């Protein structure tokens, strides 16, 4: 066990000039690793994101079509209800002497039930549209954030030279040192 620990400790003491070894300065290697990882993610993730957005667009369009079909079905039900209402009104005229009040009650029950059904369908459609709008807005926000992050990385990578890089590292080390002293 001691030999394994000693071998790992000796990795940190390799001479840096003229040989291949591990760079133990995490502040110097981290931006390079991050830029490589982000570059790979951007390169391979672009197609995936495009496919996800296309699939999402298709689902939204399908939901809107379904809502329109539900609306058309409700309109058809309303037309049928109106036809039934006309039929009930004709029967009411025929049976006015015998049961005018009962027919009138049936008519209003029918109108109320259709009205309630239409309100429920309209509420469902509005909720579906609102839900889909919120999902699309969230996706757009995520996409804008990703693009802003990509733009910032491109700007940082294009403006970063060795001198500025070393000054930034020194400033960050100084800030960490002062934060450690405060604690």
């Amino acid at each position: 066990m001691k030999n394994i620990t000693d071998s790992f400790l000796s990795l940190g003491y390799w001479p840096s000039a003229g040989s291949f070894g591990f760079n133990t300065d995490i502040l110097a290697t981290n931006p390079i690793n991050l830029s490589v990882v982000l570059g790979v993610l951007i390169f391979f993730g672009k197609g995936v994101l495009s496919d996800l957005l296309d699939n999402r667009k298709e689902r939204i369009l399908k939901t809107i079509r379904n809502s329109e079909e539900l609306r058309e079905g409700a309109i058809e039900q309303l037309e049928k209800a109106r036809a039934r209402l006309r039929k009930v009104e004709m029967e009411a005229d025929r049976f006015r002497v015998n049961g005018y009040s009962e027919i009138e009650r049936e008519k209003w029950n029918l109108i109320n039930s259709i009205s309630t059904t239409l309100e429920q369908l309209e509420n469902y459609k509005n909720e579906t549209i609102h839900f889909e709008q919120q999902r699309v807005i969230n996706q757009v926000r995520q996409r804008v954030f990703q693009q802003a992050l990509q733009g910032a990385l491109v700007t940082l990578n294009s403006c970063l030279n060795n001198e500025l890089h070393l000054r930034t590292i020194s400033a960050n080390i100084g800030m960490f040192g002062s934060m450690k002293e405060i604690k």
Side-chain angles (χ1 to χ4, degrees):
M1 183 69 176
K2 183 169 176 38
N3 290 339
I4 294 172
T5 306
D6 289 341
S7 66
F8 279 116
L9 288 176
S10 68
L11 289 176
Y13 296 109
W14 283 6
S16 61
S19 70
F20 177 78
F22 290 106
N23 187 356
T24 59
D25 184 7
I26 196 160
L27 294 176
T29 58
N30 216 10
I32 295 168
N33 291 340
L34 287 175
S35 64
V36 168
V37 169
L38 286 175
V40 168
L41 284 176
I42 290 169
F43 180 76
F44 289 109
K46 205 180 291 183
V48 172
L49 182 61
S50 175
D51 290 344
L52 287 174
L53 288 175
D54 289 342
N55 288 341
R56 185 70 199 129
K57 179 181 173 184
E58 288 299 320
R59 279 190 268 152
I60 290 170
L61 290 175
K62 183 179 177 182
T63 302
I64 290 172
R65 276 188 237 118
N66 288 341
S67 296
E68 289 299 322
E69 289 174 6
L70 287 174
R71 181 179 170 271
E72 290 173 5
I75 290 172
E76 287 178 14
Q77 285 182 351
L78 178 63
E79 291 301 322
K80 288 178 183 178
R82 286 181 179 161
R84 285 177 28 200
L85 177 62
R86 286 189 291 272
K87 182 179 175 183
V88 167
E89 287 176 344
M90 288 175 24
E91 288 178 11
D93 289 337
R94 268 190 297 160
F95 299 112
R96 186 174 305 256
V97 175
N98 296 334
Y100 181 77
S101 63
E102 187 175 330
I103 293 172
E104 193 68 22
R105 195 174 332 121
E106 181 68 25
K107 178 178 87 170
W108 285 111
N109 286 342
L110 182 63
I111 289 172
N112 288 336
S113 69
I114 295 297
S115 176
T116 303
T117 303
L118 285 175
E119 286 176 8
Q120 289 173 347
L121 288 174
E122 187 69 25
N123 288 340
Y124 174 74
K125 180 186 84 169
N126 289 337
E127 287 174 4
T128 303
I129 289 172
H130 179 71
F131 176 74
E132 292 302 324
Q133 285 174 343
Q134 289 300 319
R135 290 179 79 173
V136 169
I137 287 170
N138 287 337
Q139 285 181 346
V140 168
R141 283 181 185 159
Q142 287 176 352
R143 181 69 178 155
V144 167
F145 175 74
Q146 287 175 347
Q147 288 177 349
L149 183 61
Q150 289 172 358
L153 286 174
V154 168
T155 303
L156 279 176
N157 287 335
S158 67
C159 294
L160 200 61
N161 58 25
N162 286 336
E163 180 183 333
L164 181 60
H165 187 72
L166 291 174
R167 284 187 9 216
T168 304
I169 291 171
S170 296
N172 287 334
I173 290 173
M175 286 185 348
F176 288 136
S178 64
M179 287 173 49
K180 187 174 183 180
E181 289 174 6
I182 291 172
K183 286 183 179 180

